[in-house]
Amino acid sequence: DIQMTQSPSSLSASVGDRVTITCRASQSISSYLNWYQQKPGKAPKLLIYAASSLQSGVPSRFSGSGSGTDFTLTISSLQPEDFATYYCQQSYSTPRITFGQGTRLEIK
Amino acid sequence: QVQLVQSGAEVKKPGASVKVSCKASGYTFTSYYMHWVRQAPGQGLEWMGIINPSGGSTSYAQKFQGRVTMTRDTSTSTVYMELSSLRSEDTAVYYCARDIEYSSSWSLYNWFDPWGQGTLVTVSS
């Protein structure tokens, strides 16, 4: 199975900060990488698909980049509603999809 | 609008089975594959398997082979996930999620959207 490793596992930031979360695949996955946001007690919500495409309705402060094994999710200016846990997901080996372990974004 | 509505919380004893349902609405049920993903308390997301609502074919994660069965009822646009021989480690929220497939140039991309609201399954003696 393809292993996905996110870093950091958690981070603290303030409203207005620029934040970057990294996801690394154990082998090249081209751009078959998606990002999800999950708030406590809620289902995950799609933010970015195919590494860099913004899902409809998602604010433009979210962006994704990368290809091969290294990917990033960037939030350009944190808003209060962005404090959540973020997961990357590889679909290279679909349907045997795997997720990163998650990055918890907390208020500083 | 596209919606996936799951059945309610369950409490089961070790060794029992649980069957969770996921009712789809707002789209053509047989046109999209459906995944099941689980999340143990305070943990990450774990893919369990996928079902094709059209023909009923399935593919399961190796970890769950022999214990999980995914089925569908096209008359009610509902998919089911049954997990048997439950143990305490199976305590988790179980989600269904629709598979979206997108073709671009020479590539075929997949992602999950939307997800059901989740069903908490508690395994306790």
Side-chain angles (χ1 to χ4, degrees), chain A residues 94, chain B residues 31-33 98-104 107-112:
Chain A
T94 194
Chain B
S31 295
Y32 296 84
Y33 286 62
R98 187 180 68 160
D99 182 90
I100 298 295
E101 189 174 82
Y102 173 71
S103 178
S104 174
S107 300
L108 196 61
Y109 297 96
N110 296 80
W111 58 86
F112 297 175

Side-chain angles (χ1 to χ4, degrees), chain A residues 24-38:
Chain A
R24 176 165 289 176
S26 60
Q27 67 179 72
S28 177
I29 58 170
S30 184
S31 56
Y32 295 92
L33 192 283
N34 308 313
W35 290 97
Y36 298 85
Q37 176 193 65
Q38 185 180 34

Side-chain angles (χ1 to χ4, degrees), chain B residues 11-96:
Chain B
V11 179
K12 297 291 182 181
K13 293 193 181 303
S17 297
V18 68
K19 191 170 186 177
V20 179
S21 68
C22 169
K23 183 175 176 59
S25 61
Y27 70 97
T28 302
F29 175 68
T30 52
S31 295
Y32 296 84
Y33 286 62
M34 196 78 77
H35 297 264
W36 287 91
V37 175
R38 77 177 187 179
Q39 185 171 39
Q43 302 301 307
L45 302 167
E46 181 176 32
W47 181 78
M48 298 181 68
I50 184 173
I51 181 168
N52 178 356
S54 179
S57 60
T58 56
S59 179
Y60 303 135
Q62 189 163 2
K63 175 177 180 176
F64 301 102
Q65 287 276 2
R67 278 210 306 145
V68 70
T69 304
M70 297 176 187
T71 56
R72 94 291 188 213
D73 181 343
T74 57
S75 68
T76 60
S77 299
T78 302
V79 295
Y80 300 91
M81 186 283 300
E82 184 170 21
L83 189 63
S84 62
S85 302
L86 290 169
R87 34 210 188 228
S88 58
E89 310 90 87
D90 294 318
T91 293
V93 176
Y94 290 76
Y95 294 101
C96 58

